[in-house]
Amino acid sequence: MPQETMLPSASPVRFVAEDGTRADRHGAYAEPASDRLREAYRLMVLGRRFDVQATALTKQGRLAVYPSSAGQEACQVAAALVLEDRDWLFPTYRDSVALVARGLKPGEVLTLLRGDAHCGYNPVETSVAPQCTPLATQTLHAAGLAHAMQRRGEDAVALALIGDGATSEGDFHEALNFAAVFKAPAVFFVQNNRYAISVPFEKQSAAAALAYKGIGYGMRSEQVDGNDAVAVLAVLGDAVQHARAGRGPVLVEAHTYRIDAHTNADDATRYRDASEVAKWREADPLKRLETYLKSRDLLQEQEIEQFKADAETFAQTVRDTLNAEPELDPLSLFDHVYAEPTRHLEAQRAALRAELEA
């Protein structure tokens, strides 16, 4: 692939400015259809309410931990919307809103963060890999599965969600190299929210943008305004089409911001100023999309109120689900370790069963 076709845009792709007015920094990218934008708005309203509710549940002891994605809803929802049912999503621990947008139930999404099990849903049935806590390991899984689907002749793409901190891990670079060499149908989507826990971006990388890291592996790369839902949908959608057409993987970097702390256990005031957070609140992706859609008569006030009401109903479902005590089977610890349990594993299961029955 010629180097000029791999280079990302000189500045992040943008369709909509912070104030909701039209911006002209989108090059040859086409604006997504109106119904797709309305659906993105609906899911962003739902996702934000889910995020607020999940954060509140940590304070009530119903969740062990919750990494908020407030401010990153455009990225989260777009990642779910650009995929077909047959495509695979590889999320991290911060991507619960993407799973909700994908259609998973709140109890399934929050099982990991509640501490009940490593995964609360069937990855094969949902085409969603377990939420990944170790940084960047999901990128290897995505590259491997994408290559496997390619070898089987399947018309499917794997999309891996990544934080900026994960790009400093060796697994990330191994995954990009493997995917590029084999032209695997994979999209690596970096949500650069400016902090890897407490480490600011400028102390992680000297690159002008993380999007440039794909060039060294011979991979098409792009950068996008991650708080502009229109732009993220356009760029990610194009990347998925590129990968699906057999033209190789794509690296996309979204410039966004984590409004809340790393998790509910983190004190973000120790490493960033309130003025910085306030500045990014002005770039709110939800408000930006709402203003843009209203200016084009694609969204009415009564629809906004209905979406908010639906989100409140959904939040009640989240509360009811998490307020119910889980029924856990200790013997399930041995499920899904191997496709065929080993002799030693069966012996351990039997020993635990005997201890529980004693």
Side-chain angles (χ1 to χ4, degrees):
M1 182 183 292
Q3 181 176 342
E4 59 271 16
T5 63
M6 292 188 292
L7 283 167
S9 301
S11 56
V13 176
R14 173 185 280 190
F15 279 77
V16 183
E18 283 88 347
D19 61 1
T21 58
R22 180 79 175 187
D24 188 17
R25 210 164 69 195
H26 47 80
Y29 289 102
E31 179 170 330
S34 299
D35 59 344
R36 176 60 64 92
L37 297 180
R38 286 166 49 84
E39 178 63 4
Y41 176 79
R42 183 187 73 82
L43 288 171
M44 288 169 66
V45 171
L46 188 75
R48 176 159 296 182
R49 186 63 186 89
F50 169 85
D51 195 86
V52 170
Q53 184 61 69
T55 299
L57 287 167
T58 63
K59 301 175 183 178
Q60 300 168 16
R62 289 297 178 180
L63 286 178
V65 66
Y66 183 72
S68 171
S69 58
Q72 298 178 222
E73 292 91 350
C75 297
Q76 300 270 303
V77 167
L81 282 181
V82 297
L83 298 178
E84 302 291 340
D85 290 344
R86 64 185 180 279
D87 297 326
W88 274 77
L89 181 67
F90 285 80
T92 73
Y93 54 84
R94 194 178 302 282
D95 299 315
S96 295
V97 168
L99 271 61
V100 169
R102 182 80 165 159
L104 274 67
K105 297 178 182 178
E108 297 173 332
V109 174
L110 296 173
T111 289
L112 169 67
L113 301 174
R114 192 178 192 180
D116 294 342
H118 291 302
C119 184
Y121 49 88
N122 186 324
V124 175
E125 292 179 356
T126 58
S127 294
V128 178
Q131 284 181 275
C132 189
T133 301
L135 295 187
T137 56
Q138 81 281 8
T139 59
L140 292 170
H141 304 157
L145 181 61
H147 182 51
M149 294 189 297
Q150 180 186 54
R151 288 178 62 86
R152 291 197 296 256
E154 298 179 12
D155 180 25
V157 173
L159 190 154
L161 292 164
I162 313 160
D164 50 293
T167 66
S168 299
E169 297 286 332
D171 286 352
F172 170 78
H173 298 277
E174 292 175 19
L176 263 62
N177 188 62
F178 180 94
V181 167
F182 291 100
K183 289 192 174 182
V187 175
F188 301 95
F189 183 34
V190 180
Q191 297 174 80
N192 182 356
N193 63 20
R194 314 308 298 173
Y195 289 94
I197 306 182
S198 58
V199 180
F201 172 73
E202 57 269 19
K203 291 187 177 181
Q204 296 180 61
S205 176
L210 293 173
Y212 288 97
K213 293 185 181 291
I215 300 170
Y217 298 107
M219 180 183 300
R220 181 187 163 197
S221 306
E222 186 58 279
Q223 58 178 331
V224 62
D225 183 337
N227 285 25
D228 177 1
V230 181
V232 181
L233 282 167
V235 169
L236 264 192
D238 185 80
V240 168
Q241 296 275 350
H242 180 97
R244 196 187 304 282
R247 298 167 63 193
V250 183
L251 173 65
V252 176
E253 176 192 10
H255 297 268
T256 184
Y257 193 79
R258 189 192 77 216
I259 293 295
D260 290 337
H262 177 67
T263 70
N264 54 292
D266 173 43
D267 180 7
T269 62
R270 297 176 62 185
Y271 54 83
R272 65 184 189 184
D273 295 329
S275 59
E276 177 182 300
V277 180
K279 183 194 78 170
W280 278 93
R281 285 188 185 278
E282 294 300 313
D284 179 7
L286 183 57
K287 184 62 178 177
R288 189 190 299 195
L289 181 58
E290 178 182 309
T291 302
Y292 181 66
L293 292 177
K294 287 172 66 176
S295 70
R296 299 182 59 203
D297 292 325
L298 296 174
L299 187 65
Q300 307 302 319
E301 286 295 339
Q302 59 268 30
E303 293 174 302
I304 295 173
E305 294 305 313
Q306 184 60 57
F307 292 155
K308 290 180 179 179
D310 293 342
E312 286 299 328
T313 301
F314 186 74
Q316 182 64 56
T317 301
V318 176
R319 290 194 296 273
D320 292 344
T321 300
L322 273 293
N323 284 332
E325 294 297 333
E327 297 181 7
L328 304 178
D329 178 10
L331 294 177
S332 66
L333 286 169
F334 301 94
D335 296 340
H336 314 300
V337 179
Y338 297 106
E340 296 292 335
T342 64
R343 177 168 53 85
H344 295 93
L345 198 66
E346 291 289 16
Q348 292 172 23
R349 185 200 298 268
L352 179 58
R353 182 185 293 109
E355 183 175 339
L356 292 171
E357 294 174 350

